[in-house]
Structure formats: C-alpha cells, structure tokens
Amino acid sequence: MKRFEGYGVLITGAARGIGAATARRLGAEGARVLVTDLDLDAAEKTAADLRERGLTAEAYGCDVGDRSSVEAAVAYAVDAFGSLDVLVNSAARCTPDVPLFEDGPDEVWERDLDLTLTGAYRCCRAALPHLVASGRGAIVTIGSVNGIQDFGNHAYSAAKAGLMSLTRTLAGHAAPRGVRVNLVAPGTVRTSAWEGRAAELDSVARVYPLGRVGEPEDIAAAVAFLASRDAAWITGTTLCVDGGLLAVNTAFHEAIRPLP
Ligand SMILES: NC(=O)c1ccc[n+]([C@@H]2O[C@H](COP(=O)([O-])OP(=O)(O)OC[C@H]3O[C@@H](n4cnc5c(N)ncnc54)[C@H](O)[C@@H]3O)[C@@H](O)[C@H]2O)c1
C-alpha cells in the first residue's frame, strides 16, 4: 500500500526545485497533487511531467502573497481531489543581502517576511479546516538552516526562524483536532535558486560533513516522512536535513586539525 494513496496534497512553489521534487515523491507514493506556483506556465509543465510518469497532478496559479489567491488554490484542491490531507509550504522569497542595517529599505525586509513567513501562515489558515476534516491532516513547511544559524540573508533568515515558531504554535493549536505540523530545515540544496552559481555550490560543499550539498530529492524524502503516518507521533518539530552542517563545526575542526 502506497503511503499517500487517496490523499489530496497541495504544494506551494511547486513548479521547480524542492517543491517539484516533493510533488514527484508524494505523487509516486499515491497522492493526487496540486502543483501550485506563482509561475503558472512552469507549474503546468511540472504537473504534465508528473502525469507522464503515470501520477495524478494538476497545476494551479497561486501567489502566497495574496490571501484570496491562496484561498482559491485550497478550494480548488478540495474540489478536485475531494479532500485536502497534506499541505506543503515550499514557496519563499530570499532577496540577496543588501546592507539592511545601513539605511536599508523597509521594502526588502517586508517582502521577504511577507512571502516567506506570512505566505506560509496564509496557506496554513486556509488549509486548516480541510486538514481537520480529513482526519489525517498534516502540514510540512520548508524552513532553512538560516532560521537556526547565521548564513547571511537577514530578512529571509528572520522569516525562516519565524516559521519554526509558527510550526510549534500551530502544532499546539491543531493537535487536539488531529492535524500534525512540522518543518524541514534544509542546508544548501542544488535548485534553480542557485542557478549560475555552480562554483559557489562546489565551494560550499566543503563545509558539509557529508561531503556534498543536498539534492531536492533529499528534502522531498524528509517531507514525505513527516507528512506520512510513519510520523504519526511527531508534531511541532524541526527536522534538519543538512548533511550534518549544524551538528558539526567544520571550521573549528579544521582550525585544530583537518577531519580525516
Ligand atoms: N535551495 C536551497 O539551497 C534552499 C536551502 C534552504 C531552504 N530552501 C527553501 O526551500 C524552498 C524551495 O526553494 P528552492 O530552492 O526549491 O527554490 P526554487 O527557486 O527552485 O523554487 C521556488 C519556487 O517558488 C515559486 N515562488 C516564488 N514566489 C512565489 C509566490 N509568491 N507564490 C508562490 N510561488 C512562488 C517560484 O516561482 C519557484 O517555482 C524555499 O522555502 C527555500 O527557502 C532552499
């Protein structure tokens, strides 16, 4: 029996990267997936790719920055699939570092916070009644190691830290109604977010104890676990999927003696 047979799943930012890999993984495990994204054309291509693999998927244009767009996407998923059992919040916005603390513009701070943190909140709020009705509802949000340690990108990092708090408070609120809420915090993952920066990816791989950066499928596997019944007694948690980055202080080890 596939873990998500009969499940209706909505994924934000699912046209590419981690969201798309999660759509493929949950689809392969039996889910009917609504591939939502700001970029509808790309979402259509991703959904078509899933269907070519014999999976069940539809595309829907959804901007997590817009409450009515989010509510329409949730309503569409419930209509199309008959239930909404899993929400995956993958859409986010990361503005490359600007000198925020030297007369930085409010707009950068507000936009990263709005799309990354408030966007996930909008999706959770719209999805929650349906997840309660499902009786096996689960939310998995894509956070980041940036929410835990400083890797730059101030506004984005603050938003990712906020998502961990949202995960815990919503887990408490939703647990009595049978909905689990968890977060996956990836390290560096090879996606379009790193397009044109292959040299940086190679360089950053050196600080990863497991010797490589992540692939979208590494994250999708963790999302699938947390969304599934295998994680039936897990809620409110942050699961780091980061090749050991946060656990091992590579710079410290290198300063004393290189790791073998
Ligand atoms: N790639 C990494 O190194 C990395 C590391 C840690 C965390 N993450 C997180 O993983 C998630 C996915 O990132 P990715 O690397 O796959 O990114 P990506 O750039 O490959 O894909 C992001 C998708 O989100 C969509 N999107 C952007 N704004 C949107 C909006 N307002 N509404 C709906 N969709 C929108 C884009 O169109 C795109 O398809 C994000 O939450 C990101 O912060 C990524």
Side-chain angles (χ1 to χ4, degrees), residues 4-237:
F4 297 102
E5 204 72 67
Y7 278 57
V9 173
L10 187 157
I11 308 176
T12 68
R16 47 180 77 78
I18 290 167
T22 302
R24 288 191 294 273
R25 175 67 191 248
L26 298 186
E29 293 203 43
R32 295 164 293 177
V33 184
L34 191 62
V35 174
T36 78
D37 203 284
L38 186 61
D39 182 346
L40 177 58
D41 287 348
E44 297 275 16
K45 286 192 187 111
T46 301
D49 172 63
L50 262 76
R51 289 194 297 270
E52 276 163 29
R53 295 164 191 245
L55 312 178
T56 306
E58 291 194 40
Y60 195 89
C62 173
D63 176 1
V64 299
D66 176 345
R67 179 175 183 167
S68 56
S69 174
V70 165
E71 289 175 352
V74 166
Y76 187 91
V78 173
D79 235 40
F81 304 142
S83 68
L84 179 61
D85 305 283
V86 173
L87 165 68
V88 179
N89 293 306
S90 189
R93 162 108 173 183
C94 180
T95 307
D97 262 336
V98 293
L100 274 185
F101 298 109
E102 288 82 29
D103 197 26
D106 282 1
E107 294 70 31
V108 169
W109 181 269
E110 285 164 0
R111 192 137 177 84
D112 278 18
L113 264 287
D114 183 58
L115 294 181
T116 304
L117 176 56
T118 313
Y121 159 67
R122 287 185 189 101
C123 296
C124 293
R125 179 179 56 194
L128 189 58
H130 305 287
L131 297 173
V132 170
S134 124
R136 56 188 179 189
I139 297 173
V140 183
T141 295
I142 309 299
S144 171
V145 292
N146 283 52
I148 301 169
Q149 205 182 104
D150 170 28
F151 295 100
N153 300 324
H154 310 299
Y156 169 82
S157 300
K160 291 295 189 183
L163 284 174
M164 293 196 297
S165 175
L166 174 66
T167 296
R168 288 188 289 266
T169 56
L170 183 53
H173 177 77
R177 296 192 273 164
V179 177
R180 297 179 304 100
V181 188
N182 290 293
L183 180 139
V184 172
T188 309
V189 181
R190 194 184 305 278
T191 68
S192 66
W194 288 86
E195 210 165 78
R197 298 167 70 190
E200 276 174 75
L201 274 182
D202 286 347
S203 163
V204 96
R206 288 199 290 272
V207 303
Y208 279 85
L210 287 179
R212 65 172 176 88
V213 298
E215 300 298 330
E217 290 72 20
D218 292 316
I219 311 307
V223 174
F225 165 65
L226 287 172
S228 78
R229 298 293 302 165
D230 290 335
W233 207 48
I234 301 178
T235 198
T237 200

Side-chain angles (χ1 to χ4, degrees), residues 145 187 207-212 240-250:
V145 292
V207 303
Y208 279 85
L210 287 179
R212 65 172 176 88
C240 292
V241 182
D242 68 349
L245 180 71
L246 295 185
V248 182
N249 192 326
T250 311

